[in-house]
Amino acid sequence: MADEEKRRVCVTGAGGYLGSWLVKLLLSKGYYVNGTARNPGDEKKNAHLYKLDGASENLRLLKADLLDQDSLRSAIRGCAGVFHVASPLPPKHSKIENPEKELIEPAVNGTFNVLNACLEENVKRVIVVSSATAVIMNPNWPKDHANDETCCWYALSKTLAEREAVEFGERSGLDVVRVCPVMILGPMLQPTVNASGLLLIRLLKGGNESIDDELMEIVDVRDAVESLVLAYENPEAEGRYVSASHMIKTQDLAEKLRTLYPQYSYPRSFNKVDEEPNSTSEKMQKLGWKFRTLDDTLIDSMECYQEGGLLD
Ligand SMILES: NC(=O)c1ccc[n+]([C@@H]2O[C@H](COP(=O)([O-])OP(=O)(O)OC[C@H]3O[C@@H](n4cnc5c(N)ncnc54)[C@H](OP(=O)(O)O)[C@@H]3O)[C@@H](O)[C@H]2O)c1
């Protein structure tokens, strides 16, 4: 295999929050990157990718949809590795009209299509980005119960997608490693705020709202992409990893932010919620993963939101 082929990887959903930071890291490490987007010509959405160091020489942005097998095959052709990042992530509490179409199909069928394309194109290793929400959710959720309106559709989509990845790997022998980040915060490269960033912004603009004092598990976006690349590069890596750095109750996070940035309108009160399970990233740390402090993540996020006028 030629050197360029060995160092060529594909990132699905390259223009999103996590995808953009992953492309940036891979380019900085000398990889050749095939990034996918549904509409690579959309300047507003993807111009930031072309501004990354090394992008003009080593980044190709290709059109691919998770439900279009041929487009995925073309994007993956010639790659030694694939990072499957793309999956719909709607803002919390947003109305989902048709969960099957909007979330489950792109997540689950999309994972199948990406892995199938990887198999056909002889990809050596695939990193599937799952989510801590799929770790917490009942892994035995029956496939034919996907229409229960009481469940969190996003969590279900990630749980079923990860299960698809496990089963596909077992059936085909494809080397699939899953990485499950907790809530990702930190500065953005892309122009519009993604769902997890909106959660932090909501806390800063809480106003008269009363919000749940949930346990927040946080990983910095820059550490999350390091964890993905570690899992890709370490030949020993296998199975599932969790990328989680900090745990803090929502009210404590608001107090921490209030001390640093007293000028914002924090929520009026917090509702007590039941104890929730928490995550550990011990297995990922054994691969040599390190992460920055929560203060670093919050301060850099704030700087980015303030510069972008997102808190005005
Ligand atoms: N943010 C978090 O807190 C968090 C935590 C754990 C796991 N994750 C996982 O990390 C991944 C990226 O999340 P993110 O926060 O970066 O979200 P994001 O900014 O909303 O990015 C999502 C990406 O998925 C792509 N996508 C969505 N539906 C698609 C479809 N039908 N076909 C092709 N591409 C599609 C989008 O591509 P287009 O540019 O074409 O629209 C976009 O690039 C997801 O798998 C998510 O589940 C995120």
Side-chain angles (χ1 to χ4, degrees), residues 9-35 48-49 52-53 59 81-86 127-129 189 221-233:
V9 292
C10 174
V11 175
T12 67
Y17 178 46
L18 187 65
S20 300
W21 277 101
L22 179 58
V23 171
K24 180 176 163 65
L25 177 62
L26 289 165
L27 290 173
S28 76
K29 289 177 76 94
Y31 283 94
Y32 301 90
V33 181
N34 287 7
H48 64 285
L49 290 174
L52 297 174
D53 283 349
L59 173 67
V82 170
F83 293 84
H84 176 37
V85 179
I127 302 297
V128 169
V129 177
L189 296 171
V221 66
R222 297 158 292 183
D223 298 328
V225 295
E226 288 282 355
S227 76
L228 297 174
V229 175
L230 260 180
Y232 178 68
E233 289 182 341

Side-chain angles (χ1 to χ4, degrees), residues 87-273:
S87 204
L89 203 179
K92 199 172 179 186
H93 305 307
S94 60
K95 193 160 166 40
I96 313 286
E97 300 286 348
N98 187 341
E100 194 65 43
K101 272 230 126 20
E102 292 170 47
L103 286 169
I104 311 288
E105 264 182 35
V108 182
N109 301 2
T111 297
F112 172 84
N113 288 338
V114 168
L115 296 180
N116 207 33
C118 291
L119 192 65
E120 288 174 350
E121 296 299 331
N122 295 314
V123 165
K124 301 285 169 265
R125 172 167 279 184
V126 190
I127 302 297
V128 169
V129 177
S130 183
S131 166
T133 184
V135 179
I136 294 163
M137 196 159 179
N138 177 4
N140 298 317
W141 188 278
K143 273 187 179 161
D144 54 356
H145 275 63
N147 284 327
D148 182 344
E149 50 293 286
T150 60
C151 78
C152 163
W153 291 111
Y154 170 67
L156 182 61
S157 76
K158 295 303 285 184
T159 305
L160 296 179
E162 191 181 341
R163 185 156 76 184
E164 181 65 48
V166 174
E167 290 175 0
F168 192 100
E170 284 170 359
R171 259 194 333 266
S172 66
L174 184 69
D175 181 0
V176 181
V177 179
R178 296 113 61 207
V179 179
C180 304
V182 293
M183 182 170 79
I184 307 174
L185 294 179
M188 317 178 305
L189 296 171
Q190 85 286 4
T192 44
V193 194
N194 62 298
S196 49
L198 283 174
L199 286 176
L200 188 58
I201 292 175
R202 183 167 163 237
L203 197 59
L204 292 152
K205 290 184 164 180
N208 272 333
E209 253 191 284
S210 166
I211 71 169
D212 288 347
D213 189 20
E214 292 166 320
L215 180 70
M216 296 181 111
E217 296 190 291
I218 298 170
V219 62
D220 190 289
V221 66
R222 297 158 292 183
D223 298 328
V225 295
E226 288 282 355
S227 76
L228 297 174
V229 175
L230 260 180
Y232 178 68
E233 289 182 341
N234 194 319
E236 308 294 308
E238 47 72 44
R240 177 193 243 184
Y241 291 83
V242 173
S243 310
S245 312
H246 306 286
M247 262 182 295
I248 187 165
K249 298 278 276 184
T250 311
Q251 184 164 4
D252 295 336
L253 180 60
E255 287 316 318
K256 195 179 202 6
L257 285 163
R258 197 198 300 274
T259 315
L260 294 165
Y261 306 96
Q263 68 271 39
Y264 296 110
S265 160
Y266 295 89
R268 177 177 40 89
S269 60
F270 291 85
N271 313 317
K272 203 171 157 26
V273 297

